[in-house]
Amino acid sequence: MLSQVYRYGFQPFNQHLLPWVQCTAVSRSHRIQPSVIRHVRSWSNIPFITVPLSRAHGKSFAHRSELKHAKRIVVKLGSAVVTRGDECGLALGRLASIVEQVSVLQNQGREMMLVTSGAVAFGKQRLRHEILLSQSVRQALHSGQNQLKEMAIPVLEARACAAAGQSGLMALYEAMFTQYSICAAQILVTNLDFHDEQKRRNLNGTLHELLRMNIVPIVNTNDAVVPPAEPNSDLQGVNVISVKDNDSLAARLAVEMKTDLLIVLSDVEGLFDSPPGSDDAKLIDIFYPGDQQSVTFGTKSRVGMGGMEAKVKAALWALQGGTSVVIANGTHPKVSGHVITDIVEGKKVGTFFSEVKPAGPTVEQQGEMARSGGRMLATLEPEQRAEIIHHLADLLTDQRDEILLANKKDLEEAEGRLAAPLLKRLSLSTSKLNSLAIGLRQIAASSQDSVGRVLRRTRIAKNLELEQVTVPIGVLLVIFESRPDCLPQVAALAIASGNGLLLKGGKEAAHSNRILHLLTQEALSIHGVKEAVQLVNTREEVEDLCRLDKMIDLIIPRGSSQLVRDIQKAAKGIPVMGHSEGICHMYVDSEASVDKVTRLVRDSKCEYPAACNALETLLIHRDLLRTPLFDQIIDMLRVEQVKIHAGPKFASYLTFSPSEVKSLRTEYGDLELCIEVVDNVQDAIDHIHKYGSSHTDVIVTENENTAEFFLQHVDSACVFWNTSTRFSDGYRFGLGAEVGISTSRIHARGPVGLEGLLTTKWLLRGKDHVVSDFSEHGSLKYLHENLPVPQRNTN
């Protein structure tokens, strides 16, 4: 215990100065025993260790992602967080949630401290109740019950309310923390206590001893005896900050205790560049010292002594002292249940204070640049957009050596960390780059009349004509894993469709992505739209990117099924185009050709088993069991080293069966295949609808009627007859490239190329037309005549 005190550089508390701090262990079963106190007092002959007012130890965390390493954390609960809307009583639900989060972090081995408001509000509730009860008794005795409604509650003095509420507030914390087998201790301080060097040292010693015993200190200003607020003379240097509210108390405590993180919870989402609620107010994700001149502060909250300006001053003071700070909303019902744990996990919540400015733009700034650049891109002539894509295709071949050198670095760094299928996806080659260039030139050729193409023309009335035309969606966010060849493909499609683009690639392809993005921007520069395509290189988590609903119009994930599911779950108000699984089926009909079946099965399963369009379940007509055709399929799969999983029906036909499948809804992504038996084509369709993912499904048969029945009744994005499932691909469809394969039922389905990245808008041209002219007694009538649409250029 002695080494613990010396390690932090603080003196244990002195018996002669204990009365200045009211410290009580909350849980009766975890009170500090007298023996412990006697043991501590025996150290009183140890010389005091000098404690600097500001610490010169390590710097604060530079990035949110580092917050997960925070060991010692102070959580400051503002009055608006702790109290109810009527300012009379506590918000018990929020408090319970906060205690639960603090307990979770404490039980993870962190050292948690609370700076809490609420004593005045809780005391006000108790005193009002007592006053009402007292008045009602007196008036009932003297005036009768009919005058109870006219009772007036006097204005209650804040110090009296604090004195009445302090014990009840702590009793409440006691009951809540006890549910998690955690002890808490109360410490009351005033500004005068920090001015006395001896008392400051005692406070430090007390707090360190409590933390050593795994007790959560709950610190508050002693509002029952607090002096009037001092003039705003603090912050003249890092060594001085007046404790005049709980914001400054939390900052002072965080620096004194060398805390890693200070979380300030208020009733707003964080710090805005102008007062929250104003039309142009934007939440500031990261705030840097010196930025306060660009911020306009509004009025303070409905309760409490400090407003946002006080919080920012306290936060900057703590940041200078080496403590990271996050200001966030602790009252919102949708986030308050996990706001503290989200912050510690590094999620983008509230405003993070950092001393380290990033070298490049923030992701929010990149989103704005992509929006602006995309709009400029959409105004270019089709020939200009095509010229950009052709130039990018030329760069892929001209700069081949530089691209392959960067890719070699990625492969060397990934060796031993990535599985073989992922390494194959990561690898680039001369042939891959040549294929990419060919695909880009196809996109350029098909983009000539993509944006601004007239789909419909209608004459509403005389001299009133309506057009429906194609326009870009806006800003696309494409997230891709281990596939650097995805970057130029998606960039070309975005350029052709006039969309702004944010790209988030996997870190395993960082070198490849960097050079491919530089080449893309070089191509865009020939027409001055370099910023339309942005590569996100910051430490933004995918989940945080999915929350930028004001900047991103569509998210397109390219990667594993787990990645797609995570993005679909994380996306907040932004549509996601893609598929979570590629469970592709092939049904071998009783009239299938022997020569075709093994060839189609081999290509669908073995050509690239990690692809989303690879075969996962083979459905066999029951009449084919124990036939030469069935034996040929099994022999081929053995030669190709494909592991077979037997479906329940298939297993019932066998004496010694392969391992029975755990689930018929499985995407293996490897040389594994499920085989199941069906009775007929309808049974196959029912199986596909029950266990498939609406991606790609195939029938192999020589009966045209059976094939057409299958094609018309299977409800998937791609349905094939006598072909490999691997044809489900934008390049193979002649789309030039694809941004992904969609299994959704709106906007775009199947391989999504250029057409899937466009939406429409309506253009109405008139001459002084008003709706009243078309009323019952008006002078005009609706014509609604269809007009010819300009022919599309198919060259």
Side-chain angles (χ1 to χ4, degrees):
M1 189 157 56
L2 179 60
S3 62
Q4 180 85 359
V5 175
Y6 273 110
R7 183 159 58 91
Y8 288 109
F10 292 114
Q11 166 68 19
F13 45 86
N14 188 300
Q15 61 185 14
H16 302 296
L17 294 173
L18 281 175
W20 70 274
V21 66
Q22 299 178 29
C23 178
T24 56
V26 170
S27 175
R28 293 186 179 92
S29 59
H30 294 85
R31 288 187 186 277
I32 303 176
Q33 299 300 320
S35 59
V36 175
I37 298 294
R38 284 194 298 271
H39 184 59
V40 172
R41 289 176 178 175
S42 67
W43 295 346
S44 59
N45 58 345
I46 299 176
F48 283 122
I49 300 168
T50 303
V51 184
L53 288 172
S54 63
R55 54 188 177 142
H57 76 293
K59 293 184 178 180
S60 59
F61 295 125
H63 306 283
R64 284 183 185 268
S65 58
E66 298 172 352
L67 296 181
K68 62 175 68 75
H69 303 300
K71 168 72 173 178
R72 182 170 292 170
I73 302 171
V74 171
V75 179
K76 184 265 176 178
L77 308 180
S79 300
V81 176
V82 176
T83 61
R84 298 197 313 237
D86 60 4
E87 304 176 26
C88 184
L90 303 179
L92 298 180
R94 283 200 294 268
L95 270 183
S97 175
I98 289 167
V99 167
E100 180 179 16
Q101 294 174 75
V102 170
S103 300
V104 167
L105 296 174
Q106 181 81 3
N107 288 328
Q108 288 176 357
R110 305 180 198 268
E111 296 175 342
M112 304 298 297
M113 291 180 278
L114 281 182
V115 175
T116 179
S117 303
V120 174
F122 196 49
K124 184 184 294 185
Q125 181 186 37
R126 294 180 65 182
L127 292 181
R128 280 187 175 182
H129 177 77
E130 292 297 325
I131 291 170
L132 283 173
L133 183 62
S134 176
Q135 287 182 348
S136 64
V137 171
R138 287 199 305 271
Q139 291 195 16
L141 292 174
H142 297 93
S143 305
Q145 294 289 342
N146 58 341
Q147 295 187 15
L148 288 179
K149 298 178 182 179
E150 301 176 1
M151 288 190 303
I153 300 176
V155 176
L156 298 174
E157 206 273 331
R159 294 185 182 89
C161 292
Q166 199 65 248
S167 60
L169 178 65
M170 289 308 301
L172 185 62
Y173 276 120
E174 172 187 7
M176 291 181 175
F177 274 111
T178 300
Q179 301 303 312
Y180 303 95
S181 301
I182 289 177
C183 175
Q186 179 187 27
I187 298 179
L188 298 176
V189 298
T190 67
N191 192 39
L192 298 176
D193 296 318
F194 286 94
H195 289 174
D196 188 298
E197 185 73 10
Q198 195 79 350
K199 292 182 179 180
R200 280 182 53 247
R201 290 170 175 167
N202 279 307
L203 174 61
N204 290 329
T206 301
L207 289 170
H208 278 100
E209 181 66 7
L210 292 173
L211 294 176
R212 188 193 68 80
M213 293 188 291
N214 201 33
I215 295 172
V216 176
I218 300 177
V219 187
N220 193 4
T221 53
N222 192 353
D223 294 327
V225 297
V226 68
E230 297 179 358
N232 190 17
S233 59
D234 59 341
L235 299 173
Q236 301 303 314
V238 300
N239 291 338
V240 180
I241 183 171
S242 299
V243 178
K244 52 192 175 185
D245 54 39
N246 276 342
D247 295 317
S248 53
L249 170 61
R252 182 70 179 257
L253 181 68
V255 173
E256 291 278 349
M257 293 296 293
K258 298 185 179 181
T259 300
D260 300 313
L261 174 61
L262 168 60
I263 299 175
V264 180
L265 297 184
S266 182
D267 57 351
V268 292
E269 279 69 21
L271 181 61
F272 289 78
D273 56 1
S274 56
S278 58
D279 292 337
D280 298 327
K282 292 182 180 178
L283 179 66
I284 299 174
D285 173 40
I286 305 177
F287 189 81
Y288 306 99
D291 286 354
Q292 55 265 45
Q293 282 74 25
S294 62
V295 176
T296 303
F297 294 101
T299 58
K300 73 180 192 68
S301 64
R302 58 179 172 80
V303 290
M305 298 182 63
M308 184 55 72
E309 187 172 9
K311 290 174 175 55
V312 172
K313 285 183 177 181
L316 290 174
W317 192 86
L319 189 67
Q320 285 181 288
T323 296
S324 297
V325 184
V326 175
I327 297 178
N329 192 336
T331 64
H332 197 291
K334 290 186 178 180
V335 299
S336 60
H338 45 81
V339 60
I340 299 174
T341 51
D342 281 354
I343 290 171
V344 176
E345 289 172 7
K347 295 181 180 179
K348 185 174 285 189
V349 179
T351 299
F352 172 61
F353 286 71
S354 175
E355 294 184 296
V356 181
K357 282 197 172 185
T362 66
V363 69
E364 289 82 5
Q365 292 170 333
Q366 286 187 295
E368 292 175 356
M369 288 190 288
R371 175 80 67 188
S372 175
R375 286 170 176 164
M376 293 176 61
L377 186 64
T379 62
L380 296 179
E381 294 297 324
E383 295 78 13
Q384 293 175 306
R385 289 192 295 271
E387 186 181 355
I388 293 172
I389 300 171
H390 275 296
H391 188 46
L392 177 57
D394 294 338
L395 288 171
L396 291 179
T397 53
D398 295 344
Q399 305 294 326
R400 176 180 60 248
D401 293 341
E402 288 81 357
I403 295 171
L404 295 180
L405 181 61
N407 185 244
K408 183 181 178 182
K409 292 180 181 178
D410 288 327
L411 290 170
E412 289 173 350
E413 292 176 6
E415 191 69 38
R417 295 191 300 109
L418 292 182
L422 293 179
L423 282 173
K424 186 176 180 181
R425 288 186 179 186
L426 179 61
S427 175
L428 293 176
S429 62
T430 299
S431 61
K432 268 191 177 183
L433 293 176
N434 290 335
S435 297
L436 275 173
I438 294 171
L440 264 58
R441 294 187 178 99
Q442 288 181 350
I443 295 172
S446 65
S447 68
Q448 292 297 319
D449 62 346
S450 57
V451 180
R453 176 163 51 92
V454 179
L455 301 179
R456 180 185 303 177
R457 293 180 65 218
T458 304
R459 180 177 287 118
I460 303 298
K462 184 179 179 181
N463 294 325
L464 184 63
E465 293 189 3
L466 178 69
E467 285 184 350
Q468 184 184 21
V469 299
T470 57
V471 293
I473 289 175
V475 175
L476 314 176
L477 169 62
V478 179
I479 303 170
F480 55 101
E481 294 177 321
S482 307
R483 291 190 59 176
D485 57 325
C486 176
L487 193 152
Q489 287 180 340
V490 173
L493 287 169
I495 294 166
S497 57
N499 284 290
L501 180 62
L502 286 175
L503 292 159
K504 176 67 173 176
K507 60 183 178 181
E508 63 278 355
H511 299 293
S512 305
N513 290 338
R514 189 176 299 113
I515 188 170
L516 290 172
H517 177 248
L518 288 174
L519 296 178
T520 301
Q521 290 201 315
E522 182 179 336
L524 287 163
S525 297
I526 65 175
H527 288 297
V529 288
K530 176 182 177 181
E531 294 182 342
V533 177
Q534 298 286 325
L535 180 64
V536 179
N537 284 318
T538 61
R539 300 191 180 195
E540 304 293 327
E541 298 292 337
V542 169
E543 185 174 344
D544 294 329
L545 291 172
C546 292
R547 293 174 178 170
L548 301 177
D549 58 315
K550 291 182 174 61
M551 299 179 182
I552 297 168
D553 300 297
L554 179 66
I555 301 175
I556 304 173
R558 295 288 304 271
S560 65
S561 59
Q562 186 60 50
L563 171 71
V564 179
R565 283 193 295 269
D566 290 343
I567 291 173
Q568 288 173 334
K569 182 179 179 181
K572 306 296 183 184
I574 309 174
V576 178
M577 179 186 290
H579 62 280
S580 59
E581 293 175 305
I583 305 174
C584 302
H585 293 75
M586 180 177 287
Y587 166 57
V588 182
D589 185 54
S590 60
E591 299 181 66
S593 166
V594 174
D595 298 331
K596 294 176 182 177
V597 172
T598 53
R599 177 177 164 84
L600 293 175
V601 173
R602 179 188 291 109
D603 188 77
S604 297
K605 178 71 256 186
C606 307
E607 197 267 341
Y608 190 7
C612 66
N613 56 12
L615 178 63
E616 302 293 4
T617 299
L618 182 65
L619 301 177
I620 304 287
H621 193 287
R622 65 178 180 182
D623 292 347
L624 296 178
L625 293 177
R626 301 185 179 90
T627 65
L629 172 58
F630 179 75
D631 293 339
Q632 286 183 25
I633 295 173
I634 298 300
D635 290 342
M636 181 275 296
L637 293 174
R638 285 174 179 162
V639 170
E640 297 292 341
Q641 298 183 333
V642 177
K643 182 178 180 180
I644 297 174
H645 301 277
K649 290 183 180 178
F650 181 42
S652 67
Y653 284 92
L654 304 175
T655 305
F656 300 100
S657 68
S659 61
E660 188 167 341
V661 67
K662 295 180 180 178
S663 171
L664 290 169
R665 192 181 285 109
T666 301
E667 181 181 15
Y668 298 103
D670 205 345
L671 287 174
E672 298 183 55
L673 181 68
C674 171
I675 297 180
E676 182 59 310
V677 175
V678 292
D679 295 335
N680 50 48
V681 64
Q682 185 61 58
D683 194 18
I685 293 170
D686 292 341
H687 179 102
I688 290 169
H689 287 166
K690 184 174 183 179
Y691 299 109
S693 61
S694 300
H695 191 294
T696 301
D697 299 293
V698 178
I699 182 172
V700 183
T701 184
E702 296 304 302
N703 188 312
E704 184 175 351
N705 291 332
T706 304
E708 287 300 323
F709 183 86
F710 185 90
L711 294 175
Q712 297 303 320
H713 286 79
V714 171
D715 187 15
S716 295
C718 299
V719 188
F720 301 160
W721 173 24
N722 286 348
T723 67
S724 167
T725 60
R726 298 278 289 120
F727 277 103
S728 182
D729 176 82
Y731 175 76
R732 298 181 180 110
F733 276 16
L735 304 178
E738 66 182 32
V739 293
I741 296 179
S742 172
T743 56
S744 65
R745 300 181 181 276
I746 58 174
H747 184 65
R749 202 173 185 208
V752 180
L754 181 58
E755 297 289 334
L757 300 182
L758 297 170
T759 184
T760 64
K761 72 177 180 181
W762 297 91
L763 306 177
L764 184 62
R765 299 179 176 90
K767 293 183 178 179
D768 194 31
H769 288 83
V770 294
V771 172
S772 60
D773 288 341
F774 295 87
S775 63
E776 184 178 353
H777 302 291
S779 58
L780 296 177
K781 300 293 182 184
Y782 290 112
L783 300 177
H784 293 151
E785 295 176 359
N786 292 327
L787 299 176
V789 174
Q791 291 298 310
R792 184 177 184 182
N793 180 13
T794 57
N795 294 327

